[in-house]
Amino acid sequence: MLVGAVFFPLLGASIAGLFGRWIGDRAAQAATIICMVLAAICGLTAFWQVALGHAPTTIDIVTFLDVGGFEVNWALRYDTLSAVMVGMVTLISTLIHIYSVGPRFFAYLSLFTFMMLMLVTADNLVQLFFGWEGVGLASYLLIGFWYEKESACAAAMKAFIVNRVGDLFFMLGLALTFWTFGSVEFSAIFGSVAQHRDATFAGMPAYEVICVLLFLGACGKSAQLGLHTWLPDAMEGPTPVSALIHAATMVTAGVFLVARMSPVFEYAPTALAVVTVVGASTALFAATIGCVQNDIKRIIAYSTCSQLGYMFFAAGVGAYQGAVFHLFTHAFFKALLFLGAGSVIHAMSNEQDIRKMGGIWRKIPMTYAVMWIGSLALAGVPYFAGYYSKDFVLEAAYAAGTGVGMYAFAAGMIAAFLTAFYSWRLIILTFHGAPRADHHTMEHVHESPISMLAPLTVLAVGAITVGAVFKDNFVGHHWEQFWNGAIVNAPHNHIMDAAHHVPSWVPLAPTVVGLSGIALAYILYVLAPSIPGKLAATFGGLYRFLLNKWYFDELYDAIFVRPTRALARVLWQKVDAGVIDGVPNGAAALASDVAQGAVRLQTGRVANYAFTMIVGLAVFVTLLAFGAAR
């Protein structure tokens, strides 16, 4: 069961990718769905046995690397953290497979799932890095799936390149970890954390450097401020890809990495402060942009970026369990929102601009209902899944009692208000009011087929229930027993207990600001719909600043892209074409000229050949005589 949860998706990817042409589309789809259903059964069984049954285990597969004295085994590490991720990833991915169509597409989805499962079950940093790079490759294939579109190809390349920046830091962190601990195995690292706590690197505490490097690697995968620019553009891929990337795979890998390495992070307070500040800043930054976007998928994408910020600042204040709890609940309501958005786009004949929608809720009532449920969970409205996890994250930030903790709490509260606002802006503009689409589009608005609605129903149930069902295990009274050491219990960090003893107004505040955000959206887009336009005109500079995503793309284009292209052009035209190609091309031209000259001597006349031989003989005799005379 434990092995099957990881390898069934690989089997499905292999069948669809290698034999899809021969067995046909339907057979390939059936094979991948069956494999994913089996993986989900195995994954949920693993969750039951390991997380709820408190039976951690490690399964050796094969020797992965054996170079000199450096040996790394390919093994599946099943503890509570791995079991939670495996159960969530396999279930969400199975629902997305059922929602989707296409054999090659299925192969990529299954490959993506396999790589993520390899990442979360890794027994060492090298194996984790293998899965880390694997999800990067799969995301490139999926984001650029519609390769005929130039924008999709550019988005895939952008995601690949931006993630390579983060991956460089990850590799440096991995190397420094090996240099410090003499091993990349998690058991060896965690077992000797206290022993090496005073290690230094270049005059700095080694743990601080390791953790900052690993976090910068996580920033690439989890789209934190500075390395976030690939995430909105990833919406160029098919909607199920967006759901898989944002809900169950890839972007959650960075949060998982920090949680997995929590025993080391606990000895790196400066690195934790960096994690807190970056996470809180990302939560606020992305929420401000989400308020003015008009593409339905991009709005949800920025909400993902913002929610990842919550997860990171929870980890930054030491509440790693709260970070994973929010990751877990977020998977259900974010997959629900993305697949719900896909259902809307399907109904609207591929229209994604919410300004061209409206008045469709009666025509697609099921999609409308699940979008409400997902938005309620995202906004943290009682008693939906997001309410439990987001509230705990904010309570932990407040309970930290530090300057960075209070900054995270304040940023998180503002972001909670903005999240509720833009969620209901999306709901109102998409479903309510007078239809703004053309007559032809409105005539063809229809509810999605059962193959799309069934996964939405399951996800909706999860978005309602998983927070209440698992709260006690993840962050409640049973958290120590549930996690069973999979995430550091931090004996000198009492944040998990302190988060339950904050002032009574703190747990109420997120609900109040969330409902206030919903009320503001209702006022601006239902009661007084002329106000948003007037505000945009009055504060035009601020509006354009947010609409253009704080001009990060333009800034990076000016600093990195254009100079790099200019340098590449010089290297191509002057160095490559002029020098590297010029030397062999010149030699070839010289050889050609010599050959041309030699060809002219081949006249075919015997008299010419005899004359040449006599001249040659005369020269030879002269030289011989001259040499003898000397």
Side-chain angles (χ1 to χ4, degrees), residues 154-190:
M157 187 63 70
K158 186 176 183 179
F160 195 77
I161 293 172
V162 172
N163 272 276
R164 296 293 77 72
V165 175
D167 294 350
L168 172 63
F169 292 109
F170 185 107
M171 288 188 288
L172 294 174
L174 192 160
L176 184 55
T177 301
F178 179 70
W179 181 83
T180 303
F181 293 95
S183 176
V184 294
E185 304 285 341
F186 291 135
S187 56
I189 294 171
F190 301 157

Side-chain angles (χ1 to χ4, degrees), residues 281-342:
S281 301
T282 303
L284 182 57
F285 152 80
T288 62
I289 297 176
C291 291
V292 299
Q293 297 300 303
N294 299 308
D295 184 301
I296 187 170
K297 288 172 65 176
R298 284 180 181 266
I299 295 171
I300 302 172
Y302 276 108
S303 79
T304 298
C305 194
S306 183
Q307 298 307 303
L308 288 165
Y310 278 91
M311 300 173 204
F312 275 111
F313 76 67
V317 298
Y320 309 99
Q321 296 84 352
V324 178
F325 185 34
H326 195 48
L327 182 158
F328 182 74
T329 61
H330 175 264
F332 288 89
F333 61 75
K334 187 50 57 71
L336 178 63
L337 285 171
F338 266 114
L339 296 185

Side-chain angles (χ1 to χ4, degrees), residues 440-461:
H440 177 75
T441 301
M442 291 303 298
E443 276 188 335
H444 291 83
V445 174
H446 59 285
E447 189 59 275
S448 298
I450 189 64
S451 62
M452 295 172 67
L453 295 180
L456 289 173
T457 303
V458 176
L459 290 169
V461 172

Side-chain angles (χ1 to χ4, degrees), residues 128-347:
L128 192 152
F129 186 69
F130 170 78
W132 189 272
E133 290 299 293
V135 296
L137 169 64
S139 69
Y140 171 79
L141 296 173
L142 285 166
I143 293 169
F145 182 75
W146 288 320
Y147 55 85
E148 301 91 348
K149 293 172 57 180
E150 185 178 346
S151 57
C153 293
M157 187 63 70
K158 186 176 183 179
F160 195 77
I161 293 172
V162 172
N163 272 276
R164 296 293 77 72
V165 175
D167 294 350
L168 172 63
F169 292 109
F170 185 107
M171 288 188 288
L172 294 174
L174 192 160
L176 184 55
T177 301
F178 179 70
W179 181 83
T180 303
F181 293 95
S183 176
V184 294
E185 304 285 341
F186 291 135
S187 56
I189 294 171
F190 301 157
S192 60
V193 170
Q195 177 184 341
H196 297 92
R197 62 185 301 178
D198 296 323
T200 60
F201 176 77
M204 297 176 288
Y207 285 7
E208 297 283 9
V209 180
I210 289 171
C211 291
V212 168
L213 289 172
L214 293 178
F215 173 64
L216 290 174
C219 284
K221 280 289 181 288
S222 295
Q224 292 300 281
L225 187 61
L227 293 177
H228 68 280
T229 53
W230 68 270
L231 191 63
D233 289 4
M235 297 305 98
E236 290 291 339
T239 299
V241 174
S242 304
L244 194 59
I245 289 176
H246 287 248
T249 61
M250 188 130 174
V251 297
T252 60
V255 181
F256 172 83
L257 175 63
V258 174
R260 173 59 79 204
M261 295 297 290
S262 57
V264 182
F265 272 88
E266 276 301 298
Y267 288 95
T270 303
L272 285 176
V274 172
V275 174
T276 305
V277 171
V278 173
S281 301
T282 303
L284 182 57
F285 152 80
T288 62
I289 297 176
C291 291
V292 299
Q293 297 300 303
N294 299 308
D295 184 301
I296 187 170
K297 288 172 65 176
R298 284 180 181 266
I299 295 171
I300 302 172
Y302 276 108
S303 79
T304 298
C305 194
S306 183
Q307 298 307 303
L308 288 165
Y310 278 91
M311 300 173 204
F312 275 111
F313 76 67
V317 298
Y320 309 99
Q321 296 84 352
V324 178
F325 185 34
H326 195 48
L327 182 158
F328 182 74
T329 61
H330 175 264
F332 288 89
F333 61 75
K334 187 50 57 71
L336 178 63
L337 285 171
F338 266 114
L339 296 185
S343 183
V344 171
I345 295 167
H346 175 76

Side-chain angles (χ1 to χ4, degrees), residues 425-474:
R425 173 179 176 264
L426 183 153
I427 291 287
I428 294 167
L429 290 180
T430 300
F431 296 100
H432 293 277
R436 296 179 296 280
D438 60 75
H439 179 70
H440 177 75
T441 301
M442 291 303 298
E443 276 188 335
H444 291 83
V445 174
H446 59 285
E447 189 59 275
S448 298
I450 189 64
S451 62
M452 295 172 67
L453 295 180
L456 289 173
T457 303
V458 176
L459 290 169
V461 172
I464 295 171
T465 61
V466 294
V469 170
F470 292 105
K471 177 188 176 184
D472 280 348
N473 286 325
F474 278 79

Side-chain angles (χ1 to χ4, degrees), residues 55-190:
T57 186
T58 299
I59 303 171
D60 289 324
I61 304 296
V62 69
T63 299
F64 191 48
L65 288 175
D66 189 355
V67 182
F70 182 68
E71 181 177 328
V72 177
N73 290 324
W74 190 351
L76 306 182
R77 179 188 179 93
Y78 269 101
D79 55 14
T80 301
L81 179 58
S82 299
V84 166
M85 296 296 294
V86 168
M88 180 270 289
V89 169
T90 53
L91 177 59
I92 299 296
S93 184
T94 298
L95 296 173
I96 292 172
H97 273 71
I98 295 171
Y99 183 97
S100 310
V101 293
R104 183 164 65 94
F105 186 56
F106 269 51
Y108 293 168
L109 286 178
S110 294
L111 178 64
F112 204 171
T113 304
F114 167 71
M115 289 300 181
M116 187 64 184
L117 292 170
M118 285 305 309
L119 189 158
V120 300
T121 59
D123 188 47
N124 55 76
L125 278 171
V126 172
Q127 185 180 333
L128 192 152
F129 186 69
F130 170 78
W132 189 272
E133 290 299 293
V135 296
L137 169 64
S139 69
Y140 171 79
L141 296 173
L142 285 166
I143 293 169
F145 182 75
W146 288 320
Y147 55 85
E148 301 91 348
K149 293 172 57 180
E150 185 178 346
S151 57
C153 293
M157 187 63 70
K158 186 176 183 179
F160 195 77
I161 293 172
V162 172
N163 272 276
R164 296 293 77 72
V165 175
D167 294 350
L168 172 63
F169 292 109
F170 185 107
M171 288 188 288
L172 294 174
L174 192 160
L176 184 55
T177 301
F178 179 70
W179 181 83
T180 303
F181 293 95
S183 176
V184 294
E185 304 285 341
F186 291 135
S187 56
I189 294 171
F190 301 157

